[in-house]
Amino acid sequence: MALIVQKYGGTSVGSPERIEHVAEKVLAARRAGHQVVVVVSAMSGETDRLLELARRIDPDPDPRELDVLLATGEQVTIALLSMALQRRGCPARSYTGAQVRILTDSAHTKARIRAIDEARVRRDLARGTVVVVAGFQGVDEEGHITTLGRGGSDTTAVALAAALGADECQIYTDVDGVYTTDPRIEPRARRLERITFEEMLEMASLGSKVLQIRAVEFAGKYNVPLRVLSTFQEGPGTLITYEDEEAPMEQPVISGIAFNRDEAMLKVVGVPDQPGVAARILGPVGEANIEVDMIIQNVAEDATADLTFTVHRRDFRSALGILERVARELGAREVKGDDRIVKVSLVGVGMRSHAGIAGTMFRALAREGINIRMISTSEIKISVVVDEKYLELAVRALHEAFGLDRPPEEARAQGSPEARKAAEPPRNALR
Ligand code: ADP
Ligand code: ASP
Ligand code: MG
């Protein structure tokens, strides 16, 4: 007998019929002899609907009240699923985050889980009851309802699995696993049998919304076996694993392509090139709680510098306002902004031991006439910023260039010349 935490996302519980289907899946796991804790999201579209309602009252609503509102979405589905289970003769009980006592900090709308009191859940499980928990929500020390940020039900599931020492945490969704890239953008994307925590973390932080980044962090930290599967079709899904140290050569060079549409770029042109200038520009941006992602500074012949950086698109207007003020103070020539850009990233632990990846990437984009506006690299990823209109083209061109539509062995052995080149041993070149 195993203890399994299953999480069903919005689409999976999007109608009464789908909730019945989820009940059948839970029953099947129980019939197989497992103890089951189920975490559910709000019905698809519900969280967006609630957000829109709030915005019609106040464009910038109080975060505490917003959490009270948003948490109602998941409360609906826990009750409906418990009813569906009970109708099938299966003892089931629903709990909100506060009832379990999923204790979080007080950062409304983006709270972090601090502790979970799992005693009640264990008692129910011991009695043979299926425990149905509302995802995405918790409660702070003061008893205020909090939510965990968009996609937060994944994190609830993994955190519960960690607290209970579950044998597996299964994330059921509308795709049958983690793909080489979002299958909605590239229909030739391939399901990965496995992906490392490290790669999944990069994919999530670079924009792949299939798992919330904190869920992956939690699973890696607490050693929770994590699997992404389809609610609608049987299959092994994708297992998130530790890097296989035994067989590093089995690792594909590139595991996947992530992209992020929520990006905007700002540029201060012609600032005097002096110590402290970057701090004077970026300081006020940080003070306004605006997170800066990529940063580039280049110095021109005339001893002035240009500073370019990216922020979340929602912060574009306020960042622009701040820069215009700072630019005047610094005597900069000009401030420019563009909120029609996207970031496209290649992710793979195999990059560590392979050169030539960046070259292959840049050539593939150049062949399509796609101009690269910014570049940033780290040990296991390369990101480029390109115009928004090129997103699909860039993702598909890179998918092809790295042979991602074929199994890694095949891509290496008989793949495109580009893929073969990418698999060559390291040289003394830029990656
Ligand atoms: P849920 O509501 O079940 O939590 P999400 O919409 O949050 O589902 O996540 C699933 C979606 O993630 C898929 O429908 C897919 O479009 C998107 N996605 C983005 N990148 C990937 C990827 N690399 N692999 C699989 N799905 C991806
Ligand atoms: N309902 C929340 C959202 O739409 C949480 C989740 O689905 O994971 O973001
Ligand atoms: Mg999700």
Side-chain angles (χ1 to χ4, degrees), residues 125-384:
L125 288 174
R127 286 194 206 112
T129 301
V130 170
V131 179
V132 184
V133 178
F136 175 58
Q137 54 177 265
V139 66
D140 74 1
E141 291 278 10
E142 303 291 314
H144 302 295
I145 294 173
T146 55
T147 65
L148 311 178
R150 299 307 303 265
S153 299
D154 298 334
T155 304
T156 305
V158 174
L160 266 167
L164 292 163
D167 296 285
E168 187 161 289
C169 181
Q170 304 174 337
I171 306 287
Y172 285 95
T173 181
D174 55 4
V175 271
D176 65 341
V178 178
Y179 275 63
T180 45
T181 193
D182 189 341
R184 284 178 215 235
I185 295 286
E186 170 53 287
R188 291 163 66 197
R190 203 171 38 80
R191 180 178 59 82
L192 299 165
E193 283 294 321
R194 38 176 61 212
I195 181 168
T196 66
F197 279 109
E198 214 181 346
E199 288 167 322
M200 196 63 237
L201 265 181
E202 286 283 3
M203 292 280 282
S205 75
L206 295 167
S208 299
K209 294 191 173 107
V210 60
L211 281 177
Q212 201 199 32
I213 181 163
R214 284 186 193 164
V216 188
E217 277 168 7
F218 242 104
K221 189 163 163 198
Y222 295 100
N223 222 334
V224 177
L226 181 63
R227 197 183 283 277
V228 176
L229 306 128
S230 164
T231 307
F232 308 105
Q233 97 198 50
E234 292 296 316
T238 300
L239 186 67
I240 325 293
T241 58
Y242 292 97
E243 200 167 333
D244 192 350
E245 280 168 14
E246 302 284 296
M249 290 313 289
E250 307 277 295
Q251 292 290 351
V253 180
I254 302 299
S255 287
I257 302 169
F259 53 84
N260 193 347
R261 289 191 173 91
D262 304 326
E263 303 263 334
M265 188 165 124
L266 296 126
K267 185 170 187 177
V268 191
V269 186
V271 276
D273 182 29
Q274 290 160 359
V277 162
R280 281 191 63 190
I281 294 173
L282 295 174
V285 175
E287 278 153 29
N289 259 329
I290 297 173
E291 228 173 279
V292 172
D293 180 16
M294 290 187 192
I295 305 172
I296 295 182
Q297 181 183 288
N298 19 16
V299 179
E301 294 284 320
D302 64 357
T304 66
D306 299 345
L307 191 88
T308 313
F309 60 92
T310 60
V311 296
H312 194 286
R313 221 176 257 188
R314 88 180 148 236
D315 296 325
F316 178 63
R317 291 278 143 213
S318 36
L320 202 57
I322 294 170
L323 285 195
E324 275 159 1
R325 178 173 55 78
V326 176
R328 270 194 305 275
E329 288 166 16
L330 288 174
R333 217 164 26 242
E334 197 185 357
V335 172
K336 291 184 187 172
D338 187 347
D339 64 350
R340 291 273 161 264
I341 54 139
V342 291
K343 183 165 72 174
V344 179
S345 310
L346 288 178
V347 174
V349 288
M351 268 187 218
R352 283 199 196 107
S353 50
H354 287 90
I357 310 290
T360 303
M361 181 182 199
F362 303 158
R363 272 193 300 277
L365 295 172
R367 264 201 304 275
E368 302 294 339
I370 301 173
N371 188 35
I372 301 173
R373 312 262 311 258
M374 288 176 95
I375 300 168
S376 102
T377 65
S378 75
E379 212 189 1
I380 68 160
K381 71 122 206 281
I382 307 175
S383 300
V384 294

Side-chain angles (χ1 to χ4, degrees), residues 70-84:
L70 294 185
T72 62
E74 272 71 11
Q75 193 169 336
V76 171
T77 38
I78 53 171
L80 292 176
L81 179 59
S82 298
M83 290 175 200

Side-chain angles (χ1 to χ4, degrees), residues 22-58:
V22 166
E24 291 296 337
K25 287 188 70 81
V26 173
L27 274 184
R30 200 163 164 272
R31 269 190 224 111
H34 305 313
Q35 292 185 322
V36 191
V37 175
V38 193
V39 173
V40 282
S41 290
M43 294 169 81
S44 56
E46 179 62 8
T47 308
D48 288 335
R49 189 185 73 87
L50 294 168
L51 275 170
E52 181 50 31
L53 272 179
R55 297 232 158 86
R56 280 169 62 180
I57 303 281
D58 181 349

